[in-house]
Amino acid sequence: MFRSIFAAALMLALVAGPAAAQVRMLSPAAAQALSAEPGVEMDGARQASVTLIEYLDYNCGYCKKMQPEIDRLLKTDTGVRVLYKPWPLFGPVSTYAARVTLAAQWQGKYLAAHKALIGAPSRLDSEATVRRLVSAAGVDLARLDRDLQARRSEIDAMLRRNDEEARRLQLQGTPGLVAGEVLVPGGLPHTALQQLVAHARSGGEAAAR
């Protein structure tokens, strides 16, 4: 009962409009499983008290608007880390962009590729555009191509896992955020992100009591 009451209060505190009705509390086991095997480097603190998870598409306008809010959160809260989970929904170029960022991790450039693509001011209209942006961010394209081929099964597995998780969470699109046991379908401004992280840091259940 406490969880339901607190979740309802959190809905009103965090979001407004239709998305508020979709904010949900996850079970502790379900929440922990989402970051149990990240597979990629996380953004932010190495020793963090809270992990924020974002399901995203590199051609999602709302995801692009979320990145500055997340960057601001990371600057103002040194106890947070972010796990970006590519979930391509907007066609072949989105899928290619997701594969490129994941492949870039084998040359230590996952976050650089992520920031380059999510920060692009306009839509990623072709694979050539994706390659140009990540190359400018320091990604070695020859190495990238080799890893795209050699690591294909691992990349497929990561994208499949992200898709399965997002569908199990009943996300209808991107972005989707999880912090602690709270799932927020949609983006949040900086103040609301701070509230979400504060709730996760408090342990959620204890705060509800």
Side-chain angles (χ1 to χ4, degrees):
M1 178 178 179
F2 284 118
R3 285 172 61 86
S4 298
I5 293 172
F6 188 72
L10 194 64
M11 291 176 196
L12 298 176
L14 291 178
V15 294
Q22 301 176 41
V23 175
R24 292 189 289 114
M25 299 292 289
L26 306 177
S27 71
Q32 291 171 10
L34 298 178
S35 59
E37 298 178 14
V40 293
E41 180 184 359
M42 295 193 199
D43 201 1
R46 289 186 178 275
Q47 299 296 325
S49 56
V50 174
T51 299
L52 175 69
I53 299 171
E54 182 189 16
Y55 293 86
L56 62 97
D57 183 301
Y58 289 104
N59 263 331
C60 167
Y62 293 107
C63 298
K64 290 181 179 296
K65 291 179 180 178
M66 270 301 303
Q67 191 62 51
E69 304 297 330
I70 290 175
D71 289 341
R72 185 179 174 192
L73 175 70
L74 293 176
K75 288 180 180 179
T76 57
D77 190 330
T78 57
V80 177
R81 62 185 179 182
V82 183
L83 173 55
Y84 302 109
K85 294 205 170 198
W87 184 36
L89 299 174
F90 290 87
V93 177
S94 288
T95 299
Y96 183 72
R99 299 185 71 85
V100 162
T101 57
L102 294 174
Q105 70 176 297
W106 282 286
Q107 55 179 286
K109 295 291 185 178
Y110 173 70
L111 290 178
H114 165 79
K115 296 291 179 69
L117 297 183
I118 202 65
S122 57
R123 187 176 179 84
L124 304 176
D125 57 357
S126 66
E127 292 185 5
T129 297
V130 172
R131 294 174 67 83
R132 174 177 56 80
L133 289 169
V134 299
S135 177
V139 174
D140 181 328
L141 294 183
R143 170 70 188 273
L144 178 74
D145 288 337
R146 292 196 297 271
D147 287 329
L148 281 168
Q149 182 63 35
R151 305 283 186 169
R152 182 182 183 89
S153 62
E154 294 166 82
I155 294 170
D156 286 345
M158 284 187 278
L159 288 176
R160 185 166 55 250
R161 178 186 176 186
N162 291 352
D163 180 66
E164 290 171 353
E165 288 176 354
R167 294 183 186 282
R168 190 162 58 247
L169 293 171
Q170 299 178 1
L171 292 176
Q172 300 300 308
T174 53
L177 303 172
V178 178
E181 298 169 19
V182 180
L183 165 67
V184 180
L188 293 174
H190 178 247
T191 300
L193 277 176
Q194 287 180 308
Q195 294 172 350
L196 180 63
V197 166
H199 167 65
R201 185 169 283 129
S202 73
E205 188 71 25
R209 296 192 183 114

